[in-house]
Amino acid sequence: LSSKDTPISVKPDGVQRRYVGQIIQRFEKRGFKLVGLKMLQASDGLLSQHYRELVKKPFYPNLVDYMTSGPVVAMVWEGLNVVQSSRRMVGPTNPAEAPAGTVRGDLSLHVSRNVVHASDSVEGAEREIKLWFEVVEASAFFWIYV
Ligand code: YYY
Ligand code: MG
């Protein structure tokens, strides 16, 4: 795992609203490289680890209902400064505060339906990639996340 890799997920509302392609295109256009991609139904257990700092928050039950309301498209992206840059591209947690041009600012209105996940730190990115993916050597020259 390296600080050049970060997880980005399209949440169930983004999948249901058919935004997977547009979201992938934003990161490809910026110059990042897709190194992992899968669709899955997130479990309560996976989410309680992913959002371990939030399990006691009053909004947590609604967050789990939302995140399990349909499939998630989980990805790993690679590139220079990808953790910080992708987080900027996604925008603030609350779409009401997200500038136009960010994924959340362009595609969402409410914090409970903010379309996409991005990690907020290199340590968080590493922890989340290990939680959601396995890394495999796809050839002598590159590794992919599955
Ligand atoms: O990293 P990010 O997704 O931007 O925000 P977090 O503070 O990690 O919260 C995770 C997730 O929880 C957020 O994307 C939506 C939801 N949430 C909420 O529903 N209501 C809040 N007041 C805060 C967060
Ligand atoms: Mg977060």
Side-chain angles (χ1 to χ4, degrees):
L1 288 169
S2 89
S3 59
K4 290 189 182 326
D5 296 332
T6 206
I8 304 283
S9 297
V10 184
K11 295 179 176 181
D13 56 331
V15 176
Q16 194 252 331
R17 294 171 65 200
R18 314 295 194 253
Y19 285 142
V20 175
Q22 284 188 46
I23 290 168
I24 288 175
Q25 191 167 47
R26 286 173 180 245
F27 294 99
E28 286 193 326
K29 276 185 169 172
R30 184 77 186 268
F32 295 121
K33 177 183 169 187
L34 186 60
V35 291
L37 174 73
K38 62 184 172 185
M39 178 177 264
L40 73 159
Q41 177 71 35
S43 68
D44 291 10
L46 177 65
L47 292 167
S48 68
Q49 294 179 72
H50 177 77
Y51 286 131
R52 65 183 184 187
E53 285 93 12
L54 303 177
V55 291
K56 300 267 166 57
K57 300 278 188 185
F59 59 80
Y60 186 73
N62 287 330
L63 177 59
V64 172
D65 285 348
Y66 163 48
M67 290 297 292
T68 58
S69 66
V72 168
V73 172
M75 302 175 278
V76 182
W77 289 86
E78 178 188 299
L80 182 65
N81 209 20
V82 68
V83 182
Q84 189 181 39
S85 293
S86 65
R87 180 82 186 181
R88 287 226 181 94
M89 289 168 71
V90 164
T93 304
N94 185 350
E97 287 155 17
T102 63
V103 180
R104 287 167 170 169
D106 288 348
L107 303 181
S108 61
L109 286 173
H110 196 273
V111 68
S112 66
R113 295 289 183 275
N114 60 6
V115 177
V116 63
H117 170 75
S119 297
D120 65 0
S121 67
V122 171
E123 306 75 62
E126 289 189 6
R127 186 179 77 82
E128 291 168 14
I129 289 172
K130 284 182 184 152
L131 189 59
W132 288 76
F133 291 91
E134 274 179 76
V135 62
V136 299
E137 188 171 3
S139 82
F141 304 105
F142 64 92
W143 286 259
I144 56 173
Y145 296 95
V146 297

